[in-house]
Amino acid sequence: MAGDESVADVGALLAAARRVYEQSYGGEAQVAVCAPGRVNLIGEHTDYNQGLVLPMVSGKLLPLVTVIVGSSTSGHSCSIETITESADEPRRVDFDLPTESSPLTRGQPAWANYVKGVVQHYRAQPLPAFKAVITSSVPLGGGLSSSASLEVAMYTFLQQLCPDDGDKVAKAVACQKAEHTHAKVPCGIMDQFVSVLGKEGHALLIDCRSLEATPVPLTDPNLVILITNSNVRHSLTGSEYPSRRKQCENAAAILGKSSLRDATVQDLENAKDRLDSVTYQRAQHVIEEIERTAQAAEALKKGAYQEFGKLMVESHNSLRDLYEVSCPELDVLVAAAMEVDGVFGSRMTGGGFGGCTVTLLQADATDRTIKHIQERYSGHPTFYRTTPSEGAWVISPVEN
């Protein structure tokens, strides 16, 4: 197989986590759960504008997942350890269960804030103390939502210790809230939603206003979804994401809309003299991207892959030129992919400024596409062929 696919499978991740659990805590973990990352096919930076998105979760053929193993314990003190290589230090964190008078607060290391946020916003009580080990094959900062994968895995773990009502949409919302309050990232709902509700053999067309999801079949055996990780991450992302969200909110307010979901291109044109050029461009991307996503879902349903691919490229160009979240490395990866016969479309995926591209192509074009990208790209890309899979699942539940 061409490329550099080296992601550990779920079994290997599980074995590693169980081994560290035994070394750190003694005995065997009672619970093991798994939650996937996601790749967004189209609909970028539309979720926090209450728009449409079309993601899928990374498949079991080559899983990009977070695994958590652990057990409940007596008392009030929780302990969690990560063996994910990219996590910041320290790798082990201890904290007490939150109370009404003493909620969990964010701090260092940063990775633990995602865990604390989920514990704080978990929807059932009384939550027992626990000890757990985390590992993940979702590349950090790759635009494949390692954060949502961690949040959803953590929530799924807690469900085994103290079952909630099983409402999957509410679960996704709680995980999103955790990211808002403890990671301080004002993300939309897409990543957590698809990590919870992903459907095997389907992408999900998610309406981020109504939280309704429509499965879109993606089972053609002659079709491949190729993720290419640029393995670059530019440092300016910390402030760029919130600033773009604020620009969108400002544009919606000037247009007299509750969000850009309700705006049309004509609305934007009518208000052009009241918007600065940058805000206008941000709004133009979002309004057009929502429409592109609706068109792309219809194209995919019909098997119109050429049309879908054209929309992917339009999306990338808009993210590059209007939303300004691409970077030279991503642009080269997209351009190189589009030079190969059998490639339908390619675009950056995720927040931007590095990370990954997603490419839709004929299965028999995969190896030559990988080879051509390797020749054209000066960096060291990593390739993942993936298929749409289920959302979070329990590997082994606690024994009652």
Side-chain angles (χ1 to χ4, degrees), residues 25-174:
Y25 303 116
E28 293 186 5
Q30 297 174 293
V31 180
V33 301
C34 189
R38 65 98 189 93
V39 57
N40 190 23
L41 300 176
I42 195 167
E44 216 67 72
H45 291 280
T46 54
D47 59 343
Y48 53 83
N49 288 289
Q50 298 187 5
L52 302 175
V53 292
L54 188 65
M56 53 169 258
V57 295
S58 51
K60 293 179 181 177
L61 172 68
L62 189 72
L64 297 168
V65 296
T66 298
V67 169
I68 299 181
V69 305
S71 307
S72 58
T73 188
S74 58
H76 300 282
S77 181
C78 302
S79 180
I80 193 153
E81 184 171 348
T82 181
I83 56 175
T84 303
E85 289 183 8
S86 53
D88 53 339
E89 299 288 349
R91 298 293 184 90
R92 180 167 168 173
V93 174
D94 300 294
F95 55 88
D96 288 340
L97 289 170
T99 64
E100 193 169 329
S101 60
S102 183
L104 285 175
T105 56
R106 60 194 303 269
Q108 294 297 325
W111 67 264
N113 291 324
Y114 298 93
V115 172
K116 291 177 181 178
V118 173
V119 173
Q120 180 65 50
H121 297 298
Y122 187 66
R123 299 174 53 254
Q125 296 295 330
L127 190 63
F130 58 85
K131 45 195 177 182
V133 172
I134 302 168
T135 188
S136 183
S137 59
V138 187
L140 189 69
L144 302 177
S145 200
S146 56
S147 57
S149 177
L150 172 56
E151 292 152 5
V152 172
M154 191 66 214
Y155 196 104
T156 306
F157 172 75
L158 297 179
Q159 285 178 304
Q160 309 316 302
L161 307 184
C162 176
D164 67 355
D165 59 10
D167 184 326
K168 289 187 173 184
V169 173
K171 174 180 176 177
V173 171

Side-chain angles (χ1 to χ4, degrees), residues 233-309:
R233 190 70 180 164
H234 295 290
S235 59
L236 63 162
T237 53
S239 61
E240 294 291 338
Y241 184 97
S243 73
R244 276 158 181 73
R245 182 165 185 155
K246 187 66 177 173
Q247 288 161 345
C248 292
E249 291 169 353
N250 290 343
I254 291 169
L255 295 177
K257 309 292 184 182
S258 60
S259 75
L260 290 177
R261 169 66 181 274
D262 296 317
T264 65
V265 172
Q266 189 58 55
D267 292 331
L268 184 63
E269 200 58 37
N270 292 343
K272 191 169 187 178
D273 60 346
R274 292 183 284 133
L275 295 163
D276 65 80
S277 60
V278 172
T279 303
Y280 179 89
Q281 287 181 187
R282 304 295 188 253
Q284 182 183 353
H285 164 75
V286 171
I287 294 167
E288 293 177 349
E289 183 81 348
I290 292 170
E291 178 58 29
R292 266 192 294 271
T293 304
Q295 293 172 0
E298 289 304 312
L300 204 56
K301 288 176 189 174
K302 297 183 297 186
Y305 303 136
Q306 293 282 5
E307 181 184 345
F308 188 91

